[in-house]
């Protein structure tokens, strides 16, 4: 019998007959000759699971894809990849903290007064422009129709962010709910995009007026003007909807926003989800709402410049330029700051620089627009004078 047993198995086989060295379970009395089998049996009573699969321990970086060799553990890894908020299991932020323009109390007081003054001046100037255009029949033309819509957009654009910042300063709070943050971002993108597209429509209007004056009223009829404005509002809202829906699906590593409002770029930077789609759409949709209208403006003003250059008299050149100079000033201020914020490499961005540029195109540019147009436009100044004299507060402009 012994010749059929391997030499290394002989001691273990002898235990079967002698009973010496057996490992007996205290719970059920079952005996084992191997300590490994005995300990494994003990865990059936204690339900202890001390070992973890080495692959499940793999935790990919936030937003990273799961390697092909580990996809059989995809449910576990996806749940790990989802837990990015402050390295715990929370993935939903109920409110954000807006850090504002400055963290020093004295600077905040100065900035509050300056911001309130600029905002009030801009809203008043744009409102007077709208009332002047509506009240004066001589201004019921395509150019002033676009100008009144631009003034309305400027009021809405500034009112999306500035009042909330002023209220937060007065109340001593800096929080905003996630739903309010998304709503603020939606309207900010919608009004800003509509502002950009409308400027290109205004450039096209100036092109037709100067380069094709005999066909101006035929081309820029009431229906076409209404369609241009309606297309501006619809396209801007569609673009804003796409960005808002995608940002709503993100999870965030922190709820502290280093800005005075919920900016799209800032929220993408704070996310610990995969933001490649968001960043790609910022460039694609941003090009459609900023670069394409800007290219259209350049294309409109190139033949305008050639036509003005061919005008023989200096007075005629100045008159033609005065109708376009105001629009060029607004375009330079608006597009210069937006391109500086959204279309520069991320490595060149700093928080203070981005906030300064944002204040320029959200507050300063809307405030300057009515003054730029009214100072260069005698018809608009006359309409404002009539409007103010009707309210018994007329002053020479």
């Amino acid at each position: 019998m012994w010749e059929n047993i391997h030499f290394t198995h002989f001691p273990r086989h002898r235990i079967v007959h002698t009973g010496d060295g057996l490992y007996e379970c205290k719970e059920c009395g079952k005996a084992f000759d191997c300590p490994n089998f005995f300990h494994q049996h003990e865990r059936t009573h204690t339900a202890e699971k001390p070992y973890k699969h080495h692959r499940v321990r793999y935790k990919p970086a936030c937003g990273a894809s799961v390697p092909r060799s580990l996809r059989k553990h995809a449910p576990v890894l996806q749940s790990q990849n989802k837990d990015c908020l402050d390295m715990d299991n929370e993935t939903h932020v109920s409110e954000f903290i807006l850090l504002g323009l400055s963290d020093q109390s004295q600077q905040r007081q100065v900035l509050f007064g300056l911001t309130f003054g600029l905002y009030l001046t801009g809203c008043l100037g744009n409102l007077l422009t709208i009332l002047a255009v509506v009240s004066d029949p001589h201004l019921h033309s395509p150019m002033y129709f676009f100008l009144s819509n631009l003034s309305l957009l400027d009021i809405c654009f500034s009112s999306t962010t500035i009042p909330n910042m002023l209220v937060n300063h007065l109340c001593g709070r800096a929080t905003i709910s996630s739903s309010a943050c998304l709503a603020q971002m939606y309207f900010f993108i919608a009004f800003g995009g509509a502002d950009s597209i409308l400027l290109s429509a205004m450039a096209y209007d100036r092109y037709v007026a100067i380069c094709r004056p005999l066909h101006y009223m035929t081309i820029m009829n009431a229906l076409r003007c209404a369609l241009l404005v309606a297309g501006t509002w619809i396209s801007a809202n569609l673009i804003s909807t796409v960005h808002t829906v995608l940002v709503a699906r993100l999870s965030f590593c922190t709820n502290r926003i280093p800005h005075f409002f919920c900016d799209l770029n800032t929220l993408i930077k704070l996310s610990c989800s995969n933001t490649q789609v968001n960043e790609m759409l910022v460039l694609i949709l941003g090009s459609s709402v900023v670069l394409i209208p800007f290219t259209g403006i350049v294309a409109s003003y190139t033949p305008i410049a050639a036509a003005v250059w061919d005008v023989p008299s200096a007075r005629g050149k100045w008159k033609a330029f005065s109708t376009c100079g105001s629009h060029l000033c607004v375009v330079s201020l608006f597009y210069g700051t937006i391109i500086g914020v959204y279309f520069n490499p991320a490595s060149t961005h700093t928080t203070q620089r981005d906030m300064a540029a944002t204040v320029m195109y959200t507050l300063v540019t809307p405030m300057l627009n009515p003054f730029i147009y009214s100072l260069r436009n005698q018809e608009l100044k006359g309409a404002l004078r009539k409007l103010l004299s009707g309210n018994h507060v007329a002053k020479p402009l």
Side-chain angles (χ1 to χ4, degrees):
M1 180 182 68
W2 302 108
E3 62 269 23
N4 294 328
I5 300 176
H6 194 275
F7 177 75
T8 56
H9 296 165
F10 175 74
R12 184 179 299 175
H13 176 75
R14 187 175 57 183
I15 293 174
V16 177
H17 300 285
T18 63
D20 296 331
L22 287 176
Y23 298 88
E24 185 176 353
C25 178
K26 296 179 180 180
E27 296 291 334
C28 63
K30 192 174 182 179
F32 296 86
D33 61 341
C34 178
N36 291 335
F37 294 156
F38 170 69
H39 293 307
Q40 186 176 356
H41 171 76
E42 276 190 325
R43 289 195 292 272
T44 62
H45 300 291
T46 61
E48 182 184 1
K49 296 181 179 179
Y51 304 109
K52 291 183 180 179
H53 197 290
H54 70 283
R55 291 182 177 178
V56 179
R57 293 178 192 174
Y58 171 83
K59 186 174 183 180
C62 292
S65 59
V66 179
R68 181 176 297 177
S69 61
L70 303 180
R71 287 178 184 173
K72 65 183 295 184
H73 302 291
V76 176
L77 295 176
Q78 287 175 359
S79 64
Q80 290 178 350
N81 197 19
K82 196 176 180 181
D83 299 335
C84 295
L85 181 62
D86 294 332
M87 301 310 225
D88 56 22
N89 293 327
E90 295 180 318
T91 58
H92 177 70
V93 175
S94 60
E95 64 179 14
F96 291 95
I97 300 175
L98 299 173
L99 301 184
L101 294 173
S102 175
D103 56 354
Q104 300 181 9
S105 58
Q106 292 183 350
Q107 290 183 358
R108 285 201 300 268
Q109 297 291 339
V110 174
L111 290 172
F112 173 82
L114 183 62
T115 302
F116 179 74
L118 291 175
Y119 174 70
L120 193 61
T121 303
C123 287
L124 183 61
N126 283 294
L127 183 60
L128 286 175
T129 301
I130 295 173
L131 293 175
V133 172
V134 171
S135 62
D136 193 341
H138 296 92
L139 300 184
H140 292 177
S141 64
M143 183 179 75
Y144 295 106
F145 173 70
F146 290 129
L147 179 58
S148 60
N149 276 275
L150 181 66
S151 297
L152 176 62
L153 279 174
D154 285 340
I155 293 174
C156 297
F157 190 45
S158 297
S159 300
T160 303
T161 58
I162 303 303
N164 182 70
M165 183 183 71
L166 297 176
V167 170
N168 285 347
H169 179 83
L170 288 177
C171 298
R173 61 180 175 84
T175 59
I176 182 172
S177 65
S178 58
S179 58
C181 184
L182 289 175
Q184 186 183 61
M185 187 193 71
Y186 173 85
F187 288 112
F188 181 81
I189 297 173
F191 293 135
D195 213 333
S196 174
I197 300 172
L198 186 62
L199 287 174
S200 65
M202 295 176 70
Y204 176 71
D205 172 74
R206 292 298 85 207
Y207 160 75
V208 176
I210 294 176
C211 298
R212 305 184 65 182
L214 298 179
H215 301 88
Y216 178 69
M217 296 308 299
T218 304
I219 297 175
M220 302 303 295
N221 53 55
L223 177 60
R224 180 162 297 179
C225 292
L227 289 176
L228 285 172
V229 172
T232 295
W233 285 86
I234 293 172
S235 57
N237 278 274
L238 288 176
I239 291 172
S240 181
T241 300
V242 172
H243 283 304
T244 305
V245 170
L246 290 177
V247 170
R249 298 167 62 90
L250 297 178
S251 57
F252 297 93
C253 301
T254 179
N255 65 341
R256 300 173 66 84
I257 300 178
H259 219 304
F260 64 92
F261 73 101
C262 294
D263 179 57
L264 174 62
N265 269 3
T266 306
L267 289 174
I268 291 176
K269 291 177 184 178
L270 295 181
S271 174
C272 55
S273 303
N274 190 342
T275 60
Q276 291 182 353
V277 176
N278 299 76
E279 293 170 358
M280 179 182 65
L281 286 177
V282 166
L283 293 177
I284 295 175
L285 298 181
S287 299
S288 66
V289 79
V290 176
L291 295 184
I292 292 178
F294 182 74
T295 304
I297 291 172
V298 173
S300 298
Y301 273 101
T302 300
I304 288 176
V308 172
W309 184 261
D310 292 337
V311 175
S313 65
R315 183 177 180 181
K317 289 182 178 180
W318 173 252
K319 183 178 180 180
F321 176 76
S322 64
T323 61
C324 304
S326 303
H327 187 250
L328 283 175
C329 292
V330 173
V331 167
S332 301
L333 285 172
F334 185 79
Y335 284 104
T337 52
I338 285 185
I339 292 174
V341 173
Y342 292 99
F343 294 92
N344 271 340
S347 58
T348 63
H349 286 201
T350 62
T351 301
Q352 296 300 325
R353 178 182 172 183
D354 286 355
M355 279 199 291
T358 304
V359 169
M360 179 64 69
Y361 72 79
T362 59
L363 184 61
V364 178
T365 302
M367 184 272 297
L368 290 177
N369 283 353
F371 297 99
I372 292 174
Y373 282 105
S374 63
L375 289 176
R376 289 180 172 271
N377 194 308
Q378 295 297 328
E379 293 180 343
L380 186 57
K381 286 198 291 186
L384 288 172
R385 189 181 295 112
K386 291 179 182 178
L387 178 66
L388 295 177
S389 62
N391 293 330
H392 307 291
V393 288
K395 291 183 180 180
L397 295 178

